[in-house]
């Protein structure tokens, strides 16, 4: 803050409006003529001359002797000793603009701090702007011919299909929706798991009816039990994979759903941090179990680092390392039959940036996934507006185009590849139309 000025608002010591008009001059007194030799003779007075000498001190106003007696004017008796006898000072004109006070020492400091903050902000934003520009460029171009469904797509279904709320009519309507598309697997919600890994049979009480109805209406479509729970990785409560007893209970729950008629188990455990060795150990045991039963093991996977080690940076700054490293993604993909990337909730604000992001994720996932594993890219069949997900940006058309662009650039001929639609109960007709037109429909042959 600027330092305070003098109370009168001026930098000099003369108050504004102070009068400097000269005071009335005291009458001049000359000494009488005297006889210098005391002879008593009359001496005529000398000729009159202008009196240039100052009056004697007793008759002068108080104050210092002016520098030039011949040019000085008599002074007021009340004038301060420091006031010049020649009249008002040039800078004491009441109508003159007061002098500008010196700059406050705090102003340069503020400017330095602001420049430093601007530089730090630029350093933080530059990588982000560079990455977003790359995503926009990644969304350009045309997908390669033939980058459409391989008839290995999947659909996440809500819990209503196995708890008694759905009927045969609903299954017929679902079959009509899925017929002539590329969907081969249904992940029907049959949990969640308890925090100790157990699963009550009441959670999927109508599974037998639903599985039979699907096989009747849609021969060749597999029904998998979608099992999940919140992990205790960022909060005190949740499922703890580090406990051997918990992993053993998860195996028992998987065995139970396979006994109920499900043709596979699909796991969605979140938030799952990159590099979790206990998760890999669980997958090894689940693979042994499912393959022994002729069933499918599939997982929902986190997104891959869009920048090297980005999950570490994000985890340090937010406490939630959302992404997996590409290496860890590959370790998971080698242990399962299907891996479905949850390529939504991406923080992207525009369709073009979201589509470019999906194209990037598709390429990264293709590079890490062995050709023996089905790789599915998630499509957002839901519409929410919250931090991390904007419905106007994360659209099915943008996701489909991004998938096709990533597939075209990385491995256009990959056979074990598809998309996974999340989720049935939030989908709109526009979502289904975009999926059919952009991905599932076979383009007409060239004439």
């Amino acid at each position: 803050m600027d330092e305070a000025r003098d109370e009168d608002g001026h930098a000099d010591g003369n108050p504004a409006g102070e009068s400097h008009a000269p005071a009335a001059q005291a009458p001049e007194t000359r000494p009488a003529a005297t006889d210098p030799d005391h002879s008593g003779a009359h001496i005529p007075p000398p000729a009159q001359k202008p009196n240039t000498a100052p009056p004697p001190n007793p008759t002068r106003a108080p104050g210092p002797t002016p520098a030039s007696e011949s040019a000085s004017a008599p002074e007021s008796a009340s004038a301060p000793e420091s006031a010049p006898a020649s009249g008002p000072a040039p800078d004491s004109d009441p109508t003159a603009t007061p002098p500008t006070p010196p700059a406050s020492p705090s102003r340069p400091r503020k400017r330095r701090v602001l420049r430093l903050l601007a530089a730090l902000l630029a350093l933080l934003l530059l990588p982000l702007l560079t990455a977003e520009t790359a995503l926009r460029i990644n969304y350009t171009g045309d997908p390669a011919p033939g980058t459409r469904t391989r008839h290995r797509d999947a659909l996440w279904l809500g819990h209503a299909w196995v708890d008694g709320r759905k009927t045969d009519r609903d299954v017929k309507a679902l079959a009509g929706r899925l017929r002539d598309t590329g969907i081969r697997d249904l992940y029907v919600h049959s949990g969640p798991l308890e925090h100790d890994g157990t699963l009550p049979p009441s959670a999927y009480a109508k599974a037998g009816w639903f599985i039979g109805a699907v096989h009747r209406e849609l021969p060749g479509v597999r029904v998998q039990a979608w099992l999940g729970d919140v992990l205790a990785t960022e909060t005190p409560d949740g499922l703890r994979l580090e406990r051997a007893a918990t992993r053993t209970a998860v195996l028992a729950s998987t065995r139970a759903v396979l006994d109920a008629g499900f043709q596979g188990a699909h796991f969605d455990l979140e938030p799952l941090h990159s590099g979790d060795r206990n998760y890999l150990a669980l997958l090894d045991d689940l693979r042994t179990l499912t393959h022994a039963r002729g069933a499918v093991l599939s997982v929902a996977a986190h997104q891959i680092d869009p920048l090297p080690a980005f999950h570490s940076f994000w985890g340090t700054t937010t406490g939630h390392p959302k992404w997996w490293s590409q290496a860890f993604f590959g370790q998971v993909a080698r242990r399962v039959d299907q891996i479905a990337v949850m390529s939504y909730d991406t923080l992207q604000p525009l369709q073009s940036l979201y589509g470019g992001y999906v194209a990037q994720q598709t390429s990264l996932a293709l590079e890490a996934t062995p050709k023996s594993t089905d790789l599915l890219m998630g499509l957002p069949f839901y519409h929410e507006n919250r931090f991390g997900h904007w419905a106007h940006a994360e659209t099915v058309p943008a996701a489909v185009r991004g998938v096709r662009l990533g597939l075209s650039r990385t491995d256009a001929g990959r056979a074990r590849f598809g998309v996974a639609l999340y989720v049935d109960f939030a989908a709109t007709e526009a979502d289904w139309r975009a999926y059919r037109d952009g991905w599932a429909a076979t383009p007409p042959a060239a004439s």
Side-chain angles (χ1 to χ4, degrees), residues 76-300:
S76 169
S78 62
E81 290 189 0
S82 60
S86 58
D91 61 350
S92 61
D93 184 356
T95 63
T97 303
T100 303
S104 169
S106 64
R107 287 183 178 178
R109 284 198 300 270
K110 287 181 179 179
R111 285 195 292 267
R112 285 196 295 271
V113 170
L114 290 176
R115 284 196 294 266
L116 178 60
L117 291 176
L120 291 175
L121 184 62
L123 287 176
L124 291 174
L125 290 179
L126 183 60
L128 176 62
L129 292 176
T130 302
E132 294 293 89
T133 301
L135 293 182
R136 180 62 185 88
I137 295 172
N138 213 28
Y139 194 58
T140 60
D142 296 320
T147 50
R148 292 183 179 268
T149 185
R150 274 81 164 133
H151 299 282
R152 293 177 180 273
D153 303 336
L155 170 65
W156 279 282
L157 295 175
H159 199 82
W161 294 99
V162 294
D163 68 1
R165 285 178 283 171
K166 296 292 187 178
T167 65
D168 287 333
R169 177 179 296 180
D170 296 314
V171 175
K172 288 181 180 295
L174 177 65
R177 173 82 72 184
L178 302 185
R179 198 170 286 118
D180 299 327
T181 68
I183 292 176
R184 185 181 65 162
D185 286 280
L186 301 177
Y187 305 142
V188 58
H189 190 269
S190 305
L193 295 166
E194 301 293 334
H195 288 344
D196 61 0
T198 60
L199 179 66
S202 58
Y204 52 95
K206 297 295 183 178
W209 161 81
F210 177 66
I211 296 168
V214 169
H215 289 167
R216 184 171 60 252
E217 298 292 338
L218 293 167
V221 172
R222 300 180 299 195
V223 182
Q224 301 188 41
W226 167 14
L227 305 176
D229 193 19
V230 176
L231 297 178
T233 52
E234 299 173 11
T235 60
D237 297 326
L239 189 145
R240 296 183 177 274
L241 291 177
E242 67 273 18
R243 295 176 179 173
T246 300
R247 298 197 301 272
T248 299
V250 172
L251 288 172
S253 298
T254 305
R255 192 175 296 109
V257 296
L258 296 179
D259 290 341
F262 286 103
Q263 295 163 284
H266 175 80
F267 285 90
D268 177 17
L269 302 173
E270 303 179 47
L272 184 60
H273 293 179
S274 182
D276 192 324
R277 306 303 304 180
N278 296 307
Y279 181 61
L280 297 180
L282 175 63
L283 292 180
D284 287 335
D285 293 339
L286 287 170
R287 181 180 178 87
T288 299
L289 170 62
T290 54
H291 283 198
R293 301 286 295 269
V296 179
L297 174 61
S298 65
V299 295

